[in-house]
Amino acid sequence: MTVGRRCLFWWTLVLTLGLATAGCWDAVPAEEVAFSNAVGLDLASPKQQSDEGMPAPAGALVVTHLIARPEVLGQRAETTGGSVSLAAKPFVLISEAAGAVEGVRAEATAFLSRRIRVDFVQVLVLGEELARQGASPAVHWALRQRNLRPTTFLVVAVGTAQRLLDAQPSLDPLPADSLRALLQQARRSGLAWPVTVLDFGRWLLSPTRDPVAPLVERSRALAEPAEPGAEQAPLWRDRSASDLENRLLGLALFRGDRMVGRAEGAAARGLLLMLGEFAGTVVVPAPVPGQGQRLVAAVITRCRSRLEPTVVGERLTVGVQVTARALVQEVQDLGGVHTPQVARALTRRLEEALAGDVRAAWALLQQTGADAAGIAEQLYRRDPRAWAALRGRWLQVYRAADLKVAVRVELAQGTVYR
Amino acid sequence: MRAPRWPLAKSRRGQPACRRRPTEPGQGDSPHASEGRKSEAEPPRGPSAMEPSPGWGHQAGREGREGRLAPKELDLLGPDVVANVARLRERLGDPPDLVVRQTGSAEAVLYLSTLTSTRELSEAVVKPLLQGACSGREVEPGNAVTIPRVRAVQRFEEACQALLDGEAVLLRQGHRGGWRVDVREYPKRQVAPPESEPGTRGPREAFVEDLDVNLSLVRRKLRTPHLRVERIVVGRLTRTSVAVLYLAQLARPEVVVHLRQRLQHLDVPGVLGVEYLAELIEDHPWSPFPGLASTERPDVVASYLLEGGVAILMDGTSFALAGPTTFISLMQSASDYYQRWSVGTFVRYLRWLGMLLAMVTPSVYVSLLTFHHELIPPRLLFTVVSGREGVPFPPVLEALAMELAFEILREAGLRMPRQIGPAFSIAGVLVIGDAAVRAGLVSPLMLVVVGLTAVASFAIPNEDLANAVRILRFPLLAASGFLGFFGVVALLMAVGAHLVGMHSLGLPFFSPLAPVRPRAWPDAMARAPFWSHLFRPWIRRDRDEPLPDLERGR
C-alpha cells in the first residue's frame, strides 16, 4: 500500500468514525428551535385535571416552559432614559399537565412549530406543593437531560412555579434572567445562596445531608411610578397587576426530598452564617456616648464558619464557630463610633446579633428535622463510628442536640475616612 | 550524436554569455569591462566557463536547445556586409523599426529604433565612426565607439538576438563577425512607494519593471562583495532575464544549486511575470499556499538575503521572489521591524488573530447556528436568532451567498476605473448589504460576519497567503454546514498536516514550529528585540550549523 493510499485510508476511517460518533448529522437551524429559558414544575390541581375532562394520573405534573421570543427580544424599539422598551411580551409560557415531565415536551411538539430545547434553561422552578410532595422526580428528570446544564439554578416558588415564571420584572425582559440575577447575588441579601440542580441532586443522594433551595415569591415592585410619564418599564407590561416582580424570600428546607419548612429572616441569615455563606448587612443598635442608642449598619465582607459536632454518650453537641469581618457602612451619628469603648460595644452587639441568628436557624432546623447545615456530614467526617452508631435514630438525636455558638466579629472602617 | 542531457553542453564549447546583458556600465564584454563582471560572480569565459560554479554560462540552458537548431542558423557572420544585412533583415522579417545606417564607406550599424536610444547611438557610435572614416585612420569599430558596453559577435543568431535585445550591431566590410553595442533604451517607470505592501515607516521604494534598476535598489542595501548575482535567461520566445541573488557563504549552497537547476530546466515559451516563475519552480505547485514569498520591497529582499535566503528578480516585473520562506515569515511584515519590538510583537499577534478570523469566522458562525447553539450565551443567541427571523435560507447558504457576493464586489472593484472603484465598493457593501437585510434575504449579523472576515483578511501581510486563506474559507464553510465544528476541525487538521509537510526550496514550510527549533523562535513567535535575533541565518535553515563570519571573510 502506498503512502498516499494509506493516508487516504486513515483519513476515511477517522472521518467515518467521527461522523458515526459525533452526532453532527442532526443539524437544526437556530431559528427552528424554541429556546426554553426556564422550566416550572407544579403539582396538578384537581381543577386543572377536571378541565381536561379525563382523570389525570396520580401525582400528575403541570410543566411550564418559558419560551423566549427572540424576534421580540431582538427588536430595539424606542429607548427611554437608557432602558430598552419592547413592543410585545418577549416570552410565552407553554404549560401542559402530564404524568411525566418529558411527556409534556412530547405533547408540546404536536402543536408547537418549533422544537423545544432545554439547552438554555437557566432556572428550574419547583412549585411549593410539588416540593412538599417530593422533589425527586423533577430533579432526576433534570439530571438526566443531556442538554440541560447541571449548573442550572433550582428554586422553590411560593405558590406555583407557573405564576412565578409569569412575572414581569422591571429590569429584565425575561423572568428567568431576573431569577438568575437574584440568585447570583443572593448572598448579599443574606437570605439565600445559589443552589444548582447538581447541588440539589447530590444532597438528595447523600445520606448525611438534606437539600435546601432558595425560596422565591411573586411580589410587588419596591417603588411605584412617581408620576405619569416617569415610568421606564417596558411598554408591554400590564401595570394593573400589583405583584409583577419576583422576590427572594429565604430558603426552603427539605428532609429527604420533601420540603418541610421555610427559613426566612433571622433563620435564613443564621443558616447562611452556619455555612459561612453570609455576605449581607446587619443593622444593630450601638450605644453612642451622650446620645443613647444609635443604629449602625455593618456589611459582612468575609464570613467563615466551622461546625464541630461531638457526641458524648448519647448526647450530640454542635459547636458553631463563626468568624466574620464587618465593615461599618452607616452610622446615624458621626461622632464617637471610633472610640474604643463604642467599637467594643458595637462588636459585642454584632456578635450577639449574629449568634442570635444562628440560634434561630438552629431552632428551626431542629423543629423541622432538616439537616440543611450538614451536621451529620460533619459528624461522619470527624467520627465515623459515632455516626454509624447514631444513624438509625439520627432524627431523635438531632432534635435533642445542644448548640454552642461562638461568634467573633472583626470590625473594620470604624472611623470615618476617605 | 546523442544530445546532451543538460543544455549546458553547448556553452561549454566556448559560446557562453551571448545573451548576457551587462547590469552596470563598465561591466560589458569589452576587454575593459572584465573586472566589473567578476564582481557579479561571472565565471571567466572560454572552455572553463561552464564549470559547475554559478555564473552566466548557465543561461546556456537555452543555448543547448539552440545547439539542436538547423546548421544554417549556426552560420557565422560573413565578411560581406550587404549579405549580412540582407540576411538579418530577412531573419527578423523586415520589421519597419529596423534601421540600417552606413557610417563609413564599409561600415553599417543596425538597430531597432523602438528599443534603442538613437541619441546615445549617434553620440557614442555613429559620430566616432564617421570621424574615424573622415580622418582616414583605420580603427576597429569596437574600439572607436565611446561607450564601454561593446562585445564582439561572431554568430549570426547572436547578432539577431542582440538586435532584439535592443543593442546595435556594427558590421564592417571584409571583417568576419561584428560588434554589439549596448545602447538600449526601454520605457521605464520611476521608483515609487510600494502599493501592495505599504507601511507608515521604513523605506518607501518599490521595485519597478526594469531589472537593472531593481538590482541597483538591492545593491544599495547590500554593499558587500559577498553579494552574488547570477543571470539566467528564461523563456524560449520571451528571452526574459532573471537574476538570482544570494550572499555567498551565507546562503546554503544546496539551496542555490537547487534553485539554479530548477530555473535552468524550465522549458516554457515565455514568462511574463515573476509569479509564472514561482508556480514553475516551487516545491508544491498544487498547494494553495505560496512556496516562495513575493514582494515588491527591496528591504524585504535584502532581509531574506541577510538571513541566508535567495531572491529572484525578473526583467519586466516589479515583484521579486524570495525564499526559502516559511509560514511564519509570510505572516511577518517589513513594518514590524521599523517600530519598537513591543509594538511589532503586538501587531504580529493581531495579525495572527486576523488570519484566524478571516479563515474561520463564517464557518464558526454557521456551525454555531446550525449545530452548537448551546455554545452561544443566551442573550447573544436571542439577538442572533431575532436577526435571522424571516431569512429564507439556512445559515450555510446565507454565508456562502454573502461571501461570494463580497468576493464578486472585491473583484469588480479591482477592475473598476480607479476613480470610481472605491466608491463602487463602498456603495456595494453598504447599499446592497443594507438592501439585502431590509429585504429579509440576509441577517444583519451575517453582514457583520462578512465584514469582519473581509477586514481581517486584509491583516494578512502577504497577498498570496491572504488569497490562500480566502480560498480555504469556502471549503471550511461547506464543512461547517455539513458537519459543524467536527468538519471545521477535520479540515483544519488536514490543512495543518499539509502545511507541516510542505517545503520551500528544501526548508520545512512550518519551520521553526515543525520541526521544532527554539533557537529561531524569538523572531517567529514574537518580534524580539534586535539584539537577540537580528539577521541570524538559522532562520532560513532547517538545522543549526556553524555560522560563517562574513565580516572576517570566513
Side-chain angles (χ1 to χ4, degrees):
Chain A
M1 189 181 284
T2 63
V3 176
R5 285 187 180 181
R6 194 180 307 151
C7 199
L8 187 66
F9 168 76
W10 280 111
W11 269 110
T12 310
L13 183 66
V14 169
L15 204 63
T16 309
L17 289 175
L19 291 177
T21 56
C24 285
W25 292 106
D26 43 13
V28 181
E31 61 272 19
E32 294 177 10
V33 174
F35 297 102
S36 176
N37 215 232
V39 177
L41 299 169
D42 291 304
L43 209 58
S45 66
K47 184 174 180 300
Q48 284 170 316
Q49 292 172 26
S50 63
D51 284 346
E52 296 176 0
M54 62 180 74
L61 300 172
V62 175
V63 183
T64 304
H65 282 282
L66 189 154
I67 306 289
R69 295 176 66 193
E71 71 277 11
V72 178
L73 285 168
Q75 287 174 357
R76 288 288 180 261
E78 297 175 8
T79 57
T80 313
S83 67
V84 177
S85 301
L86 299 173
K89 197 172 179 178
F91 63 90
V92 291
L93 292 179
I94 295 175
S95 289
E96 184 69 22
V101 182
E102 197 58 27
V104 173
R105 206 148 53 129
E107 287 186 21
T109 318
F111 63 87
L112 206 63
S113 61
R114 302 184 179 192
R115 296 187 205 180
I116 297 180
R117 294 281 295 260
V118 293
D119 308 57
F120 292 95
V121 170
Q122 300 187 61
V123 188
L124 180 67
V125 184
L126 305 181
E128 187 173 357
E129 195 59 34
L130 174 69
R132 290 187 182 279
Q133 293 293 323
S136 287
V139 176
H140 285 172
W141 168 81
L143 289 174
R144 285 175 187 279
Q145 293 300 306
R146 192 184 60 174
N147 294 326
L148 192 140
R149 300 167 199 233
T151 50
T152 301
F153 291 127
L154 185 144
V155 299
V156 173
V158 175
T160 64
Q162 191 180 48
R163 188 159 179 277
L164 198 73
L165 292 181
D166 202 20
Q168 299 170 13
S170 298
L171 298 180
D172 298 291
L174 298 175
D177 290 343
S178 163
L179 283 172
R180 179 177 51 80
L182 274 182
L183 293 169
Q184 282 175 337
Q185 54 184 348
R187 287 186 182 88
R188 289 179 179 275
S189 70
L191 295 173
W193 74 91
V195 173
T196 64
V197 171
L198 187 64
D199 293 333
F200 200 90
R202 202 174 63 230
W203 293 334
L204 267 183
L205 297 173
S206 168
T208 56
R209 182 157 186 179
D210 286 323
V212 64
L215 192 64
V216 184
E217 68 169 357
R218 279 282 291 271
S219 165
R220 66 173 179 80
L222 282 175
E224 294 299 326
E227 58 188 34
E231 184 183 6
Q232 295 179 1
L235 297 174
W236 56 269
R237 291 198 168 91
D238 176 15
R239 305 307 303 181
S240 60
S242 60
D243 52 347
L244 298 172
E245 306 284 339
N246 286 327
R247 185 168 78 101
L248 203 56
L249 193 62
L251 290 161
L253 304 178
F254 286 76
R255 195 166 71 232
D257 72 334
R258 294 180 181 230
M259 181 178 163
V260 290
R262 297 178 181 182
E264 302 174 25
R269 281 200 302 272
L271 188 51
L272 263 72
L273 284 166
M274 290 176 77
L275 294 169
E277 299 276 0
F278 187 80
T281 302
V282 184
V283 181
V284 293
V288 177
Q291 298 185 23
Q293 301 284 330
R294 293 292 180 181
L295 290 178
V296 175
V299 176
I300 305 298
T301 56
R302 189 174 62 201
C303 179
R304 300 276 186 275
S305 71
R306 191 172 175 186
L307 300 177
E308 293 181 339
T310 53
V311 178
V312 179
E314 294 292 315
R315 194 77 180 169
L316 173 69
T317 304
V318 177
V320 179
Q321 293 181 14
V322 177
T323 308
R325 179 185 169 86
L327 201 66
V328 177
Q329 202 72 356
E330 181 187 354
V331 185
Q332 286 189 335
D333 190 288
L334 284 176
V337 73
H338 59 280
T339 60
Q341 295 83 0
V342 176
R344 273 198 296 273
L346 178 58
T347 305
R348 196 170 59 249
R349 290 289 172 86
L350 283 171
E351 289 172 350
E352 287 171 1
L354 297 182
D357 291 343
V358 172
R359 286 192 191 92
W362 179 247
L364 181 62
L365 291 177
Q366 281 191 312
Q367 179 195 339
T368 56
D371 188 7
I375 304 297
E377 189 175 357
Q378 293 298 325
L379 179 63
Y380 171 73
R381 288 181 182 174
R382 291 168 62 87
D383 192 350
R385 290 183 182 175
W387 159 250
L390 297 177
R391 185 174 185 176
R393 47 197 169 83
W394 171 251
L395 194 56
Q396 293 84 351
V397 174
Y398 180 66
R399 281 183 164 157
D402 296 326
L403 177 72
K404 286 184 181 176
V405 185
V407 177
R408 189 167 66 85
V409 171
E410 180 188 338
L411 206 61
Q413 201 172 315
T415 57
V416 178
Y417 60 86
R418 280 283 175 186
Chain B
M1 192 172 72
R2 194 167 74 96
R5 184 171 175 271
W6 266 29
L8 218 59
K10 178 62 184 172
S11 294
R12 284 178 180 168
R13 287 197 288 270
Q15 300 287 343
C18 62
R19 287 173 184 79
R20 176 193 174 217
R21 190 182 60 177
T23 55
E24 295 173 13
Q27 291 190 355
D29 272 4
S30 64
H32 36 271
S34 58
E35 287 300 316
R37 189 178 63 243
K38 283 179 183 175
S39 68
E40 294 203 42
E42 282 181 53
R45 289 195 285 166
S48 62
M50 291 302 107
E51 294 302 319
S53 64
W56 281 85
H58 293 282
Q59 62 157 335
R62 306 274 69 76
E63 299 291 321
R65 272 183 285 282
E66 288 172 6
R68 295 188 292 273
L69 295 175
K72 181 184 175 184
E73 293 173 340
L74 292 175
D75 284 350
L76 302 177
L77 289 167
D80 183 2
V81 172
V82 176
N84 286 337
V85 169
R87 281 181 62 200
L88 284 168
R89 193 185 289 277
E90 182 192 355
R91 180 76 176 98
L92 297 177
D94 194 13
D97 56 341
L98 177 64
V99 179
V100 180
R101 286 186 65 177
Q102 188 174 356
T103 57
S105 58
E107 290 164 353
V109 179
L110 290 85
Y111 61 93
L112 291 173
S113 60
T114 50
L115 299 175
T116 308
S117 168
T118 51
R119 190 179 59 81
E120 191 179 14
L121 184 75
S122 300
E123 290 293 325
V125 178
V126 177
K127 196 172 171 183
L129 288 176
L130 285 174
Q131 286 173 347
C134 292
S135 65
R137 287 183 287 127
E138 189 68 22
V139 182
E140 185 180 316
N143 294 334
V145 297
T146 59
I147 55 176
R149 301 185 296 272
V150 182
R151 286 179 291 167
V153 59
Q154 300 293 330
R155 290 173 51 221
F156 174 75
E157 274 303 321
E158 190 183 350
C160 280
Q161 192 59 51
L163 286 173
L164 291 172
D165 285 346
E167 298 180 44
V169 173
L170 267 70
L171 300 173
R172 165 172 278 189
Q173 182 66 31
H175 180 83
R176 286 192 176 274
W179 295 267
R180 50 191 293 185
V181 185
D182 188 355
V183 284
R184 286 175 296 180
E185 185 182 62
Y186 301 144
K188 65 176 71 166
R189 187 161 59 89
Q190 292 296 317
V191 174
E195 289 183 0
S196 64
E197 300 169 80
T200 53
R201 303 173 75 171
R204 296 190 175 192
E205 56 186 13
F207 289 130
V208 293
E209 286 74 15
D210 189 85
L211 181 58
D212 291 340
V213 174
N214 293 345
L215 279 174
S216 73
L217 289 175
V218 177
R219 274 200 179 281
R220 274 181 55 199
K221 296 191 181 302
L222 298 171
R223 302 179 187 192
T224 165
H226 297 282
L227 178 63
R228 299 289 183 265
V229 181
E230 298 181 15
R231 290 212 188 190
I232 298 172
V233 177
V234 176
R236 289 194 302 273
L237 300 179
T238 57
R239 310 286 303 166
T240 310
S241 287
V242 173
V244 178
L245 287 76
Y246 59 93
L247 286 176
Q249 298 182 358
L250 203 55
R252 295 173 64 191
E254 57 266 35
V255 171
V256 177
V257 172
H258 195 63
L259 181 62
R260 190 188 300 138
Q261 284 179 349
R262 287 191 185 183
L263 287 172
Q264 286 167 357
H265 284 79
L266 289 182
D267 186 11
V268 290
V271 286
L272 300 178
V274 79
E275 295 79 12
Y276 285 47
L277 280 184
E279 224 172 283
L280 288 167
I281 65 174
E282 64 187 8
D283 292 335
H284 302 269
W286 291 103
S287 170
F289 294 96
L292 291 167
S294 172
T295 179
E296 60 172 342
R297 296 183 66 119
D299 53 337
V300 173
V301 166
S303 77
Y304 266 84
L305 298 180
L306 284 167
E307 290 171 354
V310 183
I312 300 173
L313 300 178
M314 200 182 96
D315 197 27
T317 182
S318 60
F319 281 84
L321 293 177
T325 190
T326 62
F327 193 85
I328 304 284
S329 299
L330 295 176
M331 285 299 292
Q332 296 172 351
S333 165
S335 58
D336 296 352
Y337 298 96
Y338 298 123
Q339 46 199 349
R340 292 191 64 78
W341 64 270
S342 51
V343 180
T345 302
F346 174 67
V347 171
R348 271 190 190 175
Y349 285 125
L350 274 186
R351 219 173 278 142
W352 280 97
L353 177 66
M355 191 201 66
L356 196 67
L357 287 176
M359 193 185 289
V360 302
T361 302
S363 46
V364 166
Y365 171 80
V366 170
S367 298
L368 287 175
L369 278 190
T370 312
F371 292 96
H372 317 292
H373 318 128
E374 65 277 4
L375 292 180
I376 313 177
R379 299 300 294 272
L380 176 61
L381 179 71
F382 297 152
T383 305
V384 174
V385 173
S386 70
R388 279 199 49 77
E389 288 290 337
V391 176
F393 307 112
V396 62
L397 282 186
E398 183 193 11
L400 272 175
M402 285 306 293
E403 286 291 336
L404 282 174
F406 174 76
E407 292 296 335
I408 289 171
L409 277 174
R410 187 157 143 171
E411 191 63 21
L414 290 177
R415 305 281 171 270
M416 285 280 166
R418 183 163 293 184
Q419 288 77 7
I420 63 171
F424 176 79
S425 299
I426 294 170
V429 171
L430 292 182
V431 177
I432 297 178
D434 187 55
V437 170
R438 286 178 185 276
L441 294 177
V442 295
S443 60
L445 193 69
M446 191 64 239
L447 283 188
V448 176
V449 168
V450 172
L452 180 67
T453 308
V455 171
S457 67
F458 288 111
I460 303 172
N462 185 279
E463 192 178 350
D464 293 330
L465 186 63
N467 289 337
V469 170
R470 272 171 70 190
I471 297 296
L472 278 176
R473 195 185 302 151
F474 289 94
L476 277 170
L477 202 50
S480 69
F482 283 111
L483 302 170
F485 274 146
F486 176 78
V488 175
V489 171
L491 199 54
L492 284 178
M493 283 174 64
V495 172
H498 169 68
L499 286 173
V500 169
M502 269 183 71
H503 286 78
S504 170
L505 297 180
L507 181 78
F509 190 60
F510 227 68
S511 172
L513 299 180
V516 177
R517 290 169 52 238
R519 203 175 176 192
W521 281 5
D523 195 40
M525 310 300 286
R527 210 289 263 160
F530 281 135
W531 64 81
S532 66
H533 74 281
L534 187 61
F535 300 135
R536 299 302 163 95
W538 54 71
I539 292 172
R540 310 251 166 254
R541 298 180 178 219
D542 61 352
R543 60 180 182 275
D544 294 333
E545 301 164 338
L547 298 175
D549 188 347
L550 291 184
E551 293 174 3
R552 296 178 186 172
R554 285 181 287 149

